[in-house]
Amino acid sequence: MTESVETAALTPAPGRAVPEKSGQTGTVVRSTVLRRLFKNPLGIIAIVILLAMAVMAVFADALAPFDENFANISKTLAAPDGVNILGTDSSGRDVWSRLLFGAQLTLASALLCAAVAIAIGLPAGLIAGYYAGKFEAVSNWVVSILMSLPGLIVLLTIRAAFGPSVWIAMIAFGVLISPSYFRLTRSAVQSVRNELYVDAARVSGLSDLRIITRHIFSVVRAPIIIQTAAIAGVAIAIQSGLEFLGLGDPAKATWGVMLSEGFKNVYLTPSLLFWPAFAMALTIGALVLLGNAIRDALEDGEKIKHRRKKIRTAEDAATASAAKAARKTVATVEAGTEHHLVKVTNLGVGYPQADGSVKKVVDDVSFHVDRGEILGIVGESGSGKSQTAFSILGLLPDTARIVAGAIQFDGNYTVAPGEDKVSQDRLSKLRGKRISYIPQEPMSNLDPAFTIGYQLVTPMMRVLGISKAEATTRGMKLLADVGIVNPERTFKAYPHEVSGGMAQRVLIAGAISCEPDLIIADEPTTALDVTVQADVLDLIRDLQRRLGVGVILVTHNFGVVADLCDRVVVMQNGRLVEEGPVREILRNPKKEYTQTLLASMLEGKEPMTMLVPAPSSVTARSTAKENVL
Amino acid sequence: MITFILKRLGSGIVVLFVVSILVFSLLYVSSGSIARNILGDQATPEQLAVKNAELGLDQPILARYFSWLTGALRGDLGASWFTSEPVASSLATRIPVTMTMVFVAMTLIAIIATLIGVAAAVKRGWVDRVVQIGAIIGDSIPGFVIGIILVTILAIQMGFFPATSTIAPGVGADAWALSLALPVIALLINGVTGGAQQIRSAVIKQLERDYVRTLRSRGIGEREVLFKHVLRSAAPAGLTVLSLQLIGMLGGVVIIEQIFALPGMGPLAVAATSQSDQPVVMGVVMYTVVVVIVVNLIVDLLNGWLNPKVRVS
């Protein structure tokens, strides 16, 4: 029971529960959240149950046929009848009446607990998050103490000190559980404190108080409602537990007291246990569901629901069955194209949406790469270039679907025509061994828990089947090859102990460690300092010449393309704009979009975001998705 | 490493000290009527004064606290005001029962919740949905209500288990096992449903990390990626969840012991609470806080071992 106290307080992980956008557009977001909430059947059920409970509690005096302690001693442990619709307990008291009064006290005590916890946790969290400093340090210390005290043990102590009062117990529990609001508020405030719009408000002369109430409070509002639902449930549980132990006020009817009374008569009338347990589970369950429904409503409505299957169109079903047929026997590739290292034909990649439609992020893209050739794929964020690269690697997210086209590698299909997923069977034999990958962000692409040496050596042992000693020797040499001055030290280091440029060299070493035929480099220099960028590009060029591998270089930077590539593919909004040898495209770009891209380069600007307004077919969302991937 | 442990132990002692002062001052509030509660309504003022002097209640609070503290530091937690039984020895006979249950329940929670949570994160689909629904049900029914339901149906109505404890000095291991089975199940259900849900989200979060994709691109098998890398990175989050559950369980076990009439710390704590038996309440609280501090220290050490970044700093 109390084990859920602390975990429930953590359930909405602070970062996750905070809606990203509610800060600026509080009212708009709230109304759509409400609408989504009322669309969710579970949310409606929860609200109806809670409202019914609230009505029962508020009007208990009018609804209850008997006083909570009115005892008819001649009619004990009676079965339900016309007078006592749920029967009577061992003292002849009416179960239905006691249930109603129990709802009153139980719900009121839960509200009191949540109110106390908010009254302490919210302001403390706001101050600690906004001003930090000493206050934060002290409150963190207090929080760590409060969180290391088992709730029920503390309440036992409070009971020993102050006697059997529900209200004192709930105030104490409110204090004890206030850290959950404190932590929630503090991290939410910390995350927006340095946002531009808060800075803007500060610059425009708004007082701290105004900023906190106007801008920051709107961010924490929704998570606090979710948290309150959880805490009210926990408060009901722990309050009932205390009453069950017989530590409450015996003159008051509560669900816990009723449970205890039922348990004493469990051999005679076990049904006495049912109603209080049912009322409790129903109320806490409704609170849990309400919290979940609000959280779902806050999160993107675009999550893929399992409803999707139903809405599948006949066309989808047809491709699915075709795919099934194709999976059995992999078709042989089109004659005359076997010599290409990679050939992508009319590739389409899409993400099924909640409404049954498929959002295409790559559409009708065709190109090929030959051995020893460097192909650049250029485009801005959201152009689908990374998605194309991950299709070749077979590392698209689980939700992605190949909606059209085929991919072949070295004369065999990795995605045969008609298949809707990349065949992991086929690609797992190629990845690492023949196709390798250099990622964009060096630091996040190394597992922080393992040494660089381990992460370099293990793939060689798995893919090449060589011994650890041999792989270690090779690893050292590779590190030296990619220009790391002290390979022994780097080999033993953990990722957080090296610089970003060093980590990228390590990742490049990893990419070439098993002598692949194709390296896919996804923006390999974007995350690096300008001075390091040139070094890393030189390194890739040297290695490519030395090893004679094919390279697909995904980038938004035409400078990198001009520097390194033989041929280039320009992409925009998931479609292929133009393809050709680098010199030709640079000198004589045919398409307007390529010209715009080049013009922006020639002015010496670093294209970081949208260069030209995107047509409406691709929304900001897919841009965001692309960035995440 | 040594300095880290010493530092944590030091802060643990400070916490213990602070809590002891807090609880002692809280209990001071109710100590005025203790002598009358012990001796009954007929007691004369002289008898009450004698009793108060005997218990040391005529002393100022600071003096009383220091006499308790010096005793506690020597391992003497005083004697119950009502039964005169030394607190340390009554704790010693009851702790094994309680801690056996807590230990068995936590071990099972750790294993089952991890298995289910990982399965839900990796397989998604129906496994995932069952875990989500299970978490909602587990959150909805308090652990002690689960205990009541279990004892009513499985013990009283169907007779599969003893309804109350058969634990007594000298009984065999099978009697222990049979007596503890239902209480342990009652203790662990909430922990499993809640824990599986949290471990699921921790694993999903790790599966989405960049390095997982890079490991896959290097030709590392799916199983190795999951069990060696993802689980290891998700472990700190799982450990935190489990440690919080354990802290909660130290309270929850009190009610469970009451339901199953087990001779653990629960009945002692409840009786002491309703009588405001200060030495016993202090003993129970101090013991609990020590357990929490030790658990938190172990979790910190494990996290340090799992995460090299923490280890260095």
Side-chain angles (χ1 to χ4, degrees):
Chain A
M1 170 200 133
T2 28
E3 61 264 38
S4 63
V5 173
E6 322 287 344
T7 48
L10 282 185
T11 315
R16 200 181 114 209
V18 180
E20 273 170 38
K21 289 158 275 181
S22 65
Q24 302 97 317
T25 52
T27 48
V28 179
V29 166
R30 189 164 49 168
S31 68
T32 53
V33 163
L34 268 184
R35 207 178 313 131
R36 280 204 209 116
L37 183 62
F38 282 112
K39 268 189 192 164
N40 180 344
L42 287 178
I44 296 175
I45 292 173
I47 291 171
V48 169
I49 292 176
L50 289 175
L51 281 179
M53 285 288 171
V55 168
M56 279 166 59
V58 171
F59 299 106
D61 295 285
L63 289 170
F66 297 95
D67 182 75
E68 56 186 313
N69 288 318
F70 172 76
N72 181 355
I73 319 167
S74 62
K75 193 182 174 187
T76 57
L77 300 177
D81 58 27
V83 182
N84 305 103
I85 53 171
L86 297 178
T88 61
D89 66 8
S90 63
S91 315
R93 293 173 297 195
D94 182 45
V95 170
W96 166 239
S97 303
R98 285 176 71 74
L99 206 58
L100 289 174
F101 286 107
Q104 197 170 48
L105 197 64
T106 308
L107 294 185
S109 63
L111 284 180
L112 174 67
C113 171
V116 170
I118 293 177
I120 297 171
L122 181 68
L126 285 174
I127 296 171
Y130 196 74
Y131 296 108
K134 266 210 187 85
F135 182 84
E136 193 190 4
V138 172
S139 33
N140 281 345
W141 190 73
V142 173
V143 161
S144 71
I145 291 188
L146 287 179
M147 288 194 56
S148 63
L149 297 173
L152 198 81
I153 301 287
V154 174
L155 292 185
L156 291 180
T157 314
I158 297 291
R159 163 68 172 76
F162 296 104
S165 164
V166 180
W167 310 117
I168 292 176
M170 284 297 108
I171 290 172
F173 192 58
V175 175
L176 197 65
I177 209 162
S178 60
S180 60
Y181 286 106
F182 170 82
R183 288 156 56 121
L184 186 78
T185 318
R186 187 196 51 191
S187 50
V189 172
Q190 280 170 341
S191 70
V192 293
R193 183 178 52 195
N194 301 320
E195 288 285 337
L196 285 177
Y197 65 87
V198 173
D199 278 346
R202 205 175 291 143
V203 171
S204 64
L206 282 184
S207 70
D208 283 353
L209 186 68
R210 281 283 298 279
I211 294 173
I212 288 179
T213 49
R214 279 280 297 280
H215 293 275
I216 292 181
F217 191 66
S218 64
V219 176
V220 294
R221 189 178 48 206
I224 279 182
I225 296 173
I226 296 171
Q227 188 75 333
T228 303
I231 281 182
V234 172
I236 292 174
I238 201 157
Q239 187 255 3
S240 305
L242 271 184
E243 305 273 343
F244 177 81
L245 287 175
L247 299 176
D249 183 350
K252 297 278 183 202
T254 63
W255 293 341
V257 166
M258 292 177 74
L259 270 179
S260 160
E261 152 79 15
F263 194 59
K264 283 182 193 127
N265 297 294
V266 68
Y267 287 96
L268 297 169
T269 328
S271 60
L272 277 180
L273 285 171
F274 175 77
W275 290 108
F278 179 68
M280 211 185 289
L282 199 64
T283 313
I284 303 175
L287 286 165
V288 173
L289 285 179
L290 180 67
N292 284 358
I294 299 174
R295 189 177 311 156
D296 286 349
L298 283 172
E299 282 173 8
D300 262 332
E302 299 212 22
K303 260 201 279 172
I304 295 144
K305 305 262 161 67
H306 40 270
R307 231 181 313 146
R308 199 184 66 223
K309 270 182 199 149
K310 275 187 221 158
I311 320 175
R312 262 201 171 166
T313 59
E315 191 187 344
D316 281 341
T319 48
S321 66
K324 221 176 221 170
R327 219 164 280 143
K328 281 178 197 148
T329 52
V330 181
T332 45
V333 301
E334 197 185 324
T337 63
E338 302 93 339
H339 65 280
H340 292 307
L341 185 58
V342 178
K343 183 163 164 48
V344 175
T345 318
N346 307 113
L347 181 71
V349 178
Y351 287 84
Q353 302 297 309
D355 59 4
S357 67
V358 173
K359 176 157 275 161
K360 278 194 184 179
V361 294
V362 175
D363 192 6
D364 198 19
V365 168
S366 305
F367 59 84
H368 65 89
V369 186
D370 286 328
R371 273 162 243 274
E373 181 185 47
I374 303 186
L375 174 80
I377 304 182
V378 196
E380 62 206 34
S381 301
S383 61
K385 55 192 194 302
S386 293
Q387 296 288 309
T388 309
F390 288 136
S391 312
I392 300 170
L393 272 165
L395 291 176
L396 286 168
D398 282 344
T399 46
R401 293 285 172 277
I402 304 289
V403 292
I407 301 172
Q408 64 194 63
F409 177 80
D410 197 20
N412 291 305
Y413 279 124
T414 55
V415 179
E419 287 182 326
D420 69 340
K421 294 219 102 183
V422 181
S423 161
Q424 291 303 329
D425 269 2
R426 278 169 253 155
L427 260 163
S428 62
K429 291 182 195 111
L430 300 173
R431 265 198 307 263
K433 190 171 194 162
R434 304 201 55 199
I435 308 179
S436 73
Y437 166 61
I438 302 173
Q440 171 172 3
E441 166 64 54
M443 279 319 194
S444 68
N445 279 286
L446 288 165
D447 186 341
F450 290 84
T451 61
I452 283 170
Y454 178 90
Q455 295 182 62
L456 196 56
V457 161
T458 315
M460 284 192 271
M461 289 164 61
R462 299 286 180 277
V463 171
L464 302 176
I466 58 179
S467 72
K468 191 173 177 185
E470 200 183 339
T472 305
T473 324
R474 269 183 81 136
M476 293 288 188
K477 192 173 168 303
L478 281 166
L479 289 179
D481 280 354
V482 296
I484 287 173
V485 187
N486 191 341
E488 284 83 9
R489 204 177 57 198
T490 308
F491 195 85
K492 286 196 197 99
Y494 283 95
H496 67 270
E497 294 166 335
V498 303
S499 69
M502 190 103 91
Q504 190 62 300
R505 286 170 191 275
V506 169
L507 284 161
I508 292 173
I512 58 170
S513 65
C514 301
E515 295 172 351
D517 301 310
L518 173 70
I519 298 176
I520 294 177
D522 181 19
E523 305 260 13
T525 57
T526 309
L528 303 177
D529 290 341
V530 181
T531 45
V532 186
Q533 281 183 6
D535 289 349
V536 167
L537 289 176
D538 285 344
L539 175 63
I540 293 177
R541 187 186 10 244
D542 283 354
L543 289 171
Q544 192 271 333
R545 276 189 196 145
R546 193 142 36 103
L547 305 171
V549 295
V551 175
I552 295 179
L553 186 75
V554 176
T555 180
H556 63 261
N557 190 333
F558 245 118
V560 173
V561 170
D563 195 17
L564 221 56
C565 297
D566 302 312
R567 281 189 308 115
V568 64
V569 166
V570 183
M571 285 183 71
Q572 184 194 20
N573 294 333
R575 288 179 159 274
L576 193 140
V577 175
E578 192 166 359
E579 191 207 341
V582 168
R583 283 164 185 275
E584 217 166 90
I585 300 266
L586 286 177
R587 281 190 194 143
N588 185 20
K590 292 190 185 64
K591 296 281 162 55
E592 195 188 334
Y593 178 70
T594 317
Q595 289 163 5
T596 322
L597 266 184
L598 275 170
S600 66
M601 274 312 300
L602 292 173
E603 285 165 22
K605 282 181 193 157
E606 186 82 340
M608 295 302 286
T609 49
M610 290 298 202
L611 295 163
V612 287
S616 56
S617 68
V618 166
T619 61
R621 179 154 307 287
S622 76
T623 316
K625 189 174 256 168
E626 163 91 4
N627 280 338
V628 171
L629 294 174
Chain B
M1 197 46 136
I2 304 277
T3 53
F4 173 77
I5 295 177
L6 287 179
K7 239 173 157 181
R8 294 308 308 252
L9 279 179
S11 81
I13 288 167
V14 172
V15 169
L16 206 57
F17 190 66
V18 170
V19 171
S20 76
I21 293 176
L22 275 176
V23 174
F24 204 91
S25 355
L26 275 178
L27 293 171
Y28 179 72
V29 176
S30 63
S31 63
S33 55
I34 284 295
R36 182 165 293 282
N37 290 350
I38 298 172
L39 298 174
D41 286 341
Q42 275 79 34
T44 62
E46 291 76 29
Q47 286 172 313
L48 292 178
V50 170
K51 192 72 192 171
N52 274 333
E54 183 192 323
L55 300 176
L57 292 175
D58 51 347
Q59 309 275 322
I61 181 165
L62 270 180
R64 279 166 58 189
Y65 177 72
F66 280 111
S67 98
W68 176 86
L69 187 65
T70 46
L73 290 175
R74 281 182 283 111
D76 174 14
L77 292 168
S80 159
W81 284 346
F82 288 81
T83 66
S84 305
E85 198 187 344
V87 175
S89 77
S90 55
L91 281 179
T93 57
R94 288 158 179 277
I95 284 170
V97 178
T98 304
M99 292 321 283
T100 310
M101 282 197 291
V102 170
F103 181 76
V104 174
M106 277 318 297
T107 312
L108 291 174
I109 288 175
I111 296 170
I112 303 173
T114 306
L115 287 177
I116 301 179
V118 171
V122 175
K123 300 256 185 250
R124 308 305 276 267
W126 68 268
V127 187
D128 197 11
R129 237 164 292 143
V130 168
V131 169
Q132 307 269 24
I133 295 169
I136 292 174
I137 296 174
D139 278 351
S140 306
I141 309 178
F144 77 96
V145 178
I146 293 179
I148 293 173
I149 296 171
L150 288 176
V151 81
T152 306
I153 296 175
L154 292 180
I156 292 172
Q157 304 206 328
M158 306 179 101
F160 292 154
F161 296 91
T164 53
S165 129
T166 54
I167 294 177
V171 300
D174 49 339
W176 271 76
L178 208 58
S179 284
L180 293 186
L182 275 191
V184 165
I185 294 173
L187 277 179
L188 66 76
I189 287 183
N190 286 155
V192 167
T193 55
Q197 160 92 338
Q198 307 254 349
I199 288 168
R200 167 195 173 272
S201 22
V203 171
I204 288 180
K205 208 168 152 196
Q206 291 301 323
L207 279 172
E208 286 166 357
R209 297 272 297 268
D210 284 348
Y211 73 79
V212 171
R213 186 168 55 206
T214 301
L215 284 169
R216 287 178 177 152
S217 81
R218 295 281 184 264
I220 302 287
E222 201 53 33
R223 198 166 291 177
E224 186 172 349
V225 169
L226 181 65
F227 287 105
K228 205 148 192 181
H229 296 271
V230 170
L231 263 195
R232 182 170 179 153
S233 306
L239 275 175
T240 307
V241 171
L242 291 175
S243 73
L244 287 174
Q245 286 191 341
L246 196 146
I247 295 173
M249 195 184 282
L250 292 174
V253 74
V254 169
I255 312 184
I256 295 293
E257 285 176 345
Q258 198 76 359
I259 294 172
F260 292 91
L262 288 164
M265 278 185 24
L268 182 73
V270 171
T273 300
S274 50
Q275 294 167 325
S276 302
D277 193 344
Q278 183 188 310
V280 181
V281 175
M282 283 300 286
V284 170
V285 173
M286 287 300 105
Y287 173 73
T288 317
V289 176
V290 168
V291 172
V292 170
I293 289 169
V294 171
V295 166
N296 282 342
L297 179 67
I298 294 174
V299 167
D300 282 340
L301 289 176
L302 283 174
N303 274 341
W305 174 67
L306 287 164
N307 184 348
K309 243 186 203 168
V310 178
R311 208 182 309 162
V312 177
S313 50

